[in-house]
């Protein structure tokens, strides 16, 4: 069964983009093609003008499930990409102190400095997701891919994570693509929101978000925010 019919979009350097749409429309499939984990069977997916033919090494990924290794501490989990990505793997043995300082700095930014020696089973769901974001950013990727990273969190924790992710993105300025079902989340975080239709899917609407940065949760209650939410809602099609 064809999932994606025709999707054409361009993401500018340092832009934050969200992709929304009904369940099963191919949002996650598109994200996996961008990462290089799944090949595109037709058409072409490019990064910096070059076709993506294999998994990218300069990408950070965070999923709905943080997938922290239970036998590693928070700090050790954050450092994991540096131990497996070839360009960093060669250096971490001789410059481990420098990399640990980088990891500790990220953990401080997300409020986990006092939990660096804790194991995943000692952390709350929100703490695990913060650690997952730090792990996705530790190797300073050019591209950050986020697949429903906050879907399992309660509403209050989720909104805290919006503000946290915004701070991390403003600090790193890496190009970011978020897949989410939460329209408010998409508007709050993004420069551009793309709406995918039901499968076989295509882009049915593009919304440019002109809210000033840094954004605050109070903006979610403004008339302009509500208008953008209503605009996206009208274009979400379901079979």
């Amino acid at each position: 069964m064809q999932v994606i019919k025709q999707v054409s979009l361009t993401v500018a350097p340092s832009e934050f983009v969200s992709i929304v749409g009904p369940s099963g429309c191919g949002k996650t499939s598109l994200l996996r093609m961008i990462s290089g984990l799944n090949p595109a069977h037709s058409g072409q997916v490019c990064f910096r003008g070059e076709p993506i033919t294999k998994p990218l090494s300069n990408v950070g990924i965070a999923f709905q499930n943080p997938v922290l290794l239970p036998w590693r501490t928070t700090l050790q989990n954050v450092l994991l990409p540096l131990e497996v990505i070839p360009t960093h793997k060669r250096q971490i043995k001789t410059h481990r102190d420098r990399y640990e300082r980088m990891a500790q700095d990220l953990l401080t930014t997300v409020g986990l400095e006092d939990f660096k020696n804790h194991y995943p089973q000692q952390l709350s769901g929100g703490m695990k997701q913060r650690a997952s974001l730090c792990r996705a950013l530790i190797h300073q990727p050019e591209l950050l891919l986020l697949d429903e990273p906050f879907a399992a969190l309660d509403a209050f924790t989720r909104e805290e994570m919006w503000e946290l992710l915004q701070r991390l993105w403003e600090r790193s300025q890496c190009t970011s693509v978020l897949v989410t079902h939460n329209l408010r989340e998409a508007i709050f975080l993004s420069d551009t929101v793309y709406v995918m239709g039901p499968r076989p899917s295509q882009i049915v609407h593009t919304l440019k978000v002109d809210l000033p940065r840094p954004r605050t949760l109070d903006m979610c209650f403004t008339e302009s925010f509500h208008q953008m939410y209503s605009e996206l809602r009208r274009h979400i099609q379901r079979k």
Side-chain angles (χ1 to χ4, degrees):
M1 179 183 292
Q2 186 181 20
V3 177
I4 298 176
K5 180 180 181 180
Q6 182 178 4
V7 172
S8 180
L9 58 90
T10 300
V11 183
S14 299
E15 185 179 11
F16 198 117
V17 161
S18 286
I19 301 172
V20 300
S23 296
C25 71
K27 300 185 297 296
T28 295
S29 297
L30 179 60
L31 205 70
R32 292 179 67 85
M33 284 189 280
I34 294 172
S35 71
L37 294 174
N38 286 357
H41 296 296
S42 63
Q44 199 171 64
V45 182
C46 297
F47 181 65
R48 300 166 99 196
E50 297 294 326
I52 299 173
T53 58
K54 60 182 180 179
L56 298 175
S57 60
N58 54 351
V59 63
I61 305 178
F63 299 102
Q64 180 176 339
N65 185 345
V67 198
L68 301 179
L69 300 181
W71 60 87
R72 294 178 72 112
T73 65
T74 303
L75 180 64
Q76 290 168 342
N77 267 292
V78 172
L79 289 169
L80 182 61
L82 301 175
E83 299 173 6
V84 297
I85 296 174
T87 53
H88 295 283
K89 185 177 180 180
R90 292 190 293 268
Q91 301 184 47
I92 192 169
K93 291 183 179 179
T94 55
H95 301 286
R96 190 172 186 88
D97 288 346
R98 177 166 65 88
Y99 285 115
E100 285 191 358
R101 287 195 297 272
M102 290 170 56
Q104 290 171 3
D105 184 40
L106 275 173
L107 290 173
T108 298
T109 301
V110 302
L112 289 180
E113 63 270 22
D114 294 331
F115 297 88
K116 65 179 182 180
N117 294 320
H118 285 55
Y119 290 89
Q121 58 269 28
Q122 298 173 295
L123 304 178
S124 69
M127 289 176 175
K128 291 177 184 177
Q129 201 54 265
R130 293 183 206 177
S132 176
L133 287 175
C134 290
R135 182 179 59 188
L137 291 168
I138 185 63
H139 56 295
Q140 300 176 325
E142 293 181 76
L143 181 62
L144 178 64
L145 303 178
L146 305 156
D147 189 4
E148 290 277 4
F150 311 136
L153 303 178
D154 64 83
F156 293 108
T157 303
R158 185 168 189 154
E159 290 179 352
E160 290 177 357
M161 294 299 294
W162 297 353
E163 293 183 305
L164 172 61
L165 178 55
Q166 178 181 228
R167 290 200 301 272
L168 290 172
W169 173 79
E170 288 178 332
R171 165 180 164 160
S172 67
Q173 286 295 297
C174 60
T175 305
S176 301
V177 181
L178 167 70
V179 162
T180 180
H181 284 98
N182 191 304
L183 303 184
R184 291 183 175 86
E185 181 173 283
I187 296 168
F188 183 89
L189 290 167
S190 304
D191 300 305
T192 308
V193 181
Y194 292 98
V195 181
M196 292 178 67
R199 61 183 176 185
S201 61
Q202 53 189 334
I203 300 296
V204 296
H205 186 65
T206 301
L207 172 70
K208 293 293 183 181
V209 182
D210 58 0
L211 296 173
R213 293 187 183 272
R215 294 169 186 168
T216 66
L217 293 175
D218 288 341
M219 291 181 180
C220 298
F221 304 100
T222 62
E223 181 62 27
S224 59
F225 195 101
H226 179 70
Q227 288 176 353
M228 286 186 282
Y229 176 86
S230 298
E231 181 178 341
L232 290 178
R233 192 87 172 87
R234 286 196 303 271
H235 287 87
I236 298 293
Q237 303 173 25
R238 293 180 175 87
K239 286 189 177 179

